[in-house]
Amino acid sequence: MQHSNTLFVGLDVHKEAISVAYVGAELGCEVVSLGSIGTRQADIDKLIRKLKGKAKKLLFVYEAGPCGYWLYRYLTKQGLACRVVAPSLIPRKPGDRVKTDRRDAVQLARLMRSGDLTAVYVPAIEDEAIRDLSRARQDAMHDLKAAKYRLKAFLLRHDIRYEGRASWNPAHLRWLAEVVCPTPAQQIVFQEYVRTVSEHQDRLVRLESELQAEVKTWRWASVVEAIQALRGVQFTVALTLIAELGDLTRFDNPRQLMSYLGLTPSEYSSGPLRRLGGITKAGNTHARRALSEGAWAYRYPAKVSRHLQLRLEKLPKAIQEISWKAQVRLCKRYRQLVARGKHANKVVVAIAREMAAFVWAIARVVQEAH
C-alpha cells in the first residue's frame, strides 16, 4: 500500500464525525479503515497530510446527504479530486443486513475503485443560493396552504359559512373581519388562525420579491427567460427548473434529461416478455413537479395568448419557433392520448416528459448564442 500511486478514499459523513477508509488502485489491495475523524477543517487537513504520504493521487468520495457539499468544495479548493455520489444508486447485496459507518466507508472506497458509483451534479455556490431561495418559496406556499386549511376547518366545525367563494379576495377578507365566534376563547383561536394566514402571505410576497431581484444578476437568467417561451412555463416554473437542474447542456441529449427527472417508464422484462410500469421517479422531485404543473396548459388547443406573446417578443426567432412547435405537438399529443382512454394524470406526465426535451433544446440554443 505504501507504493500505490492512487488511493480511493471513502468517507461516511455525519454531523459530528466522518468515517474514513481507503484502498489502492492496484489489484489485490485490501481496503483499510482509518476509523473516525472530526469535521473541522484541521481534522480534514490532518487526514490529507496522512494520505498524501501513502500515494501521489487521492480521490475522495462520499454520499450526497443532509450535510451538503461543504466537504466537496473544501477538498476541491485544495486541488483534490472528490465525487459526491447518489445514495439510491449505490449497489447493495440483498442479503447484507449489517450497516455501520465503518462498513459504509469501506464500501464506498471499494465501489469507487471498481467504477460502480454514480456521481451527482454539484451546483456552484451562487446556484445553490438561488435553489435555496426557490425552495423557501415552495415551503412558504405549503405553509400558507396548510394555514388556510386549518382556518377553514375551524369555521366548518362551528358552522360559520361564507356564502361566496372563499378565494381570499377583498370581499372574503372583509367577511373574515366580521366573524364573531361563540366564546372569547374560540375568538382568540380564530384570530390567531387569521393572523397566521396573513403572516404566511407576507412571507411569500417577500420571498417572491427577493427571487425576482436575485435572478436578474444570476448567470442563468437568460436561460430562465428563454424557457418561458414555452406554454405553461412562467417565471416560477422556469426558475424552479433551472435552479434545480443547473446547466442543462451537461446532458448530451433530451433522453438523459428525461431519465434524470424520473419521467421515463420503469421496465421489468425477461425473455420475450416486456413489461413497462409507471415512471421511475428517480430524479429531482421539485423539477418534475414543476414540469407536471406546466404540462396541464396543453389540454387546450394550440394558441399564443397575450401573456405568452409578451414573453415571446423579447426572445430570438429560433426560440419562438421551438415554442410554437412544442405547442402544436404537445396539444395534439394530449388530445390523442385522452382519445385512447388514458387517464388525465398519465397524459400530463407524458406531456411533461416531452416538455423536458423542448426545455433542453431552448437551453442549448441559448448556450450556443453565448
Side-chain angles (χ1 to χ4, degrees), residues 119-138:
V120 301
Y121 173 74
V122 179
I125 295 178
E126 58 272 18
D127 297 346
E128 189 175 21
I130 296 293
R131 190 184 69 178
D132 289 339
L133 199 55
S134 174
R135 290 186 179 181
R137 179 198 166 275
Q138 293 181 21

Side-chain angles (χ1 to χ4, degrees), residues 291-306:
L291 266 180
S292 299
E293 290 175 355
W296 283 101
Y298 293 93
R299 66 188 186 273
Y300 303 111
K303 176 185 176 182
V304 178
S305 66
R306 176 176 173 272

Side-chain angles (χ1 to χ4, degrees), residues 223 226-228 230 233 237-238 241-242 245 248-249 254 257 261 291 298 322 326 330 352-366:
V223 181
I227 64 175
Q228 292 182 61
L230 294 174
V233 182
V237 175
L241 285 175
I242 304 304
L245 301 177
L248 294 181
T249 58
L257 176 57
L261 290 170
L291 266 180
Y298 293 93
I322 294 175
L330 298 181
R353 179 166 57 246
E354 296 198 24
M355 279 180 66
F358 289 104
V359 170
W360 179 88
I362 291 176
R364 181 58 62 95
V365 170
V366 175

Side-chain angles (χ1 to χ4, degrees), residues 162 169-179:
Y162 178 61
N169 55 20
H172 183 218
L173 295 178
R174 286 194 298 269
W175 176 81
L176 287 174
E178 298 172 357
V179 170

Side-chain angles (χ1 to χ4, degrees), residues 255-270:
R255 289 188 177 275
Q256 290 184 1
L257 176 57
M258 296 174 188
S259 178
Y260 180 84
L261 290 170
L263 289 170
T264 53
S266 58
E267 181 175 355
Y268 185 82
S269 301
S270 180

